């Protein structure tokens, strides 16, 4: 069971993959949804959901608009935190680290893997700015769709980011509030593990 795996796991990334695979089997919607917290350089936090779109030796990848609130905060302060919560599994994973941009070629590849409709939407959206009305947005999409016949070019501000984890904490629901918590802290490429009080 999960408790035993988490208790004996030595590599948090492998453990995360195992939990995500279980979530993919159990969660009705968006098992890869994650709350992403960013902050201004003077420490004013903000949080919103994004979709995890990759995980490799570099870290946890997501895509967004660099001119959005989160994009502006990350440009000024690359420290960020993520929190996954899989309700049907009663599990949580928290990740903390520093965010960098993915190479443009990767953003291009992912952008063009999406439907023309979502490429159009992403291309016209001025994410997080004030929008006068829904009609204005729909009109912008319609107009752009007629201007671009072939492939929609990825807008420069639509970027991929990767959070390189320094801390990863796993939380499993236990009876009588005796939850299990396992914290992994990275020192260079070695993960140290400890159990935390619930
Ligand atoms: C389940 C879910 C997944 C989302 N995934 C993304 C995503 O991958 N990228 C993104 O830019 N916004 C995503 N959003 C929208 C963001 O939560 C947010 O509204 C938007 O990015 C603007 O955030 P900001 O103003 O803090 O930058 C998602 C929302 C939900 C509810």
């Amino acid at each position: 069971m999960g408790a035993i795996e988490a208790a004996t796991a030595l590599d948090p990334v492998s453990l995360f993959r195992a939990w995500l695979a279980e979530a993919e089997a159990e969660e009705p919607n968006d098992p890869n949804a994650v709350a992403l917290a960013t902050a201004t350089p003077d420490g004013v936090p903000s949080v919103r959901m994004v979709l995890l779109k990759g995980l490799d030796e570099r870290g946890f990848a997501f895509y967004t608009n660099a001119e959005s609130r989160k994009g502006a905060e990350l440009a000024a302060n690359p420290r960020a935190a993520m929190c996954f919560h899989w309700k049907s599994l009663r599990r949580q994973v928290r990740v903390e680290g520093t965010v960098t941009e993915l190479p443009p070629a990767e953003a291009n590849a992912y952008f063009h893997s999406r439907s023309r409709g979502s490429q159009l939407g992403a291309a016209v959206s001025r994410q997080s700015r004030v929008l006068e009305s829904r009609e204005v947005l729909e009109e912008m999409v319609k107009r752009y769709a007629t201007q671009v016949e072939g492939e929609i070019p990825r807008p420069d501000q639509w970027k991929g980011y990767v959070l390189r984890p320094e801390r990863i904490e796993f939380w499993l629901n236990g009876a009588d509030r005796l939850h299990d918590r396992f914290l992994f802290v990275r020192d260079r490429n070695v993960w140290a593990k400890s159990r935390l009080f619930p």
Side-chain angles (χ1 to χ4, degrees), residues 1-12 15-16 18-19 22 91 170-172 180-184 193-195:
M1 249 319 278
I4 295 162
E5 281 171 33
T8 55
L10 295 175
D11 172 38
L15 179 59
F16 178 85
W19 280 25
E22 285 180 65
R91 288 181 186 171
F170 296 82
W171 182 104
L172 302 86
D180 286 309
R181 293 176 66 188
F182 299 101
L183 172 65
F184 293 79
K193 183 182 184 185
S194 39
R195 180 186 270 276

Side-chain angles (χ1 to χ4, degrees), residues 30 33 48-51 63-65 68-71 127-128:
D30 296 334
R48 80 290 292 152
M49 302 305 294
V50 295
L51 296 176
Y63 291 87
T64 193
N65 187 317
S68 65
R69 179 173 177 187
K70 75 182 92 51
Q127 194 176 60
S128 312

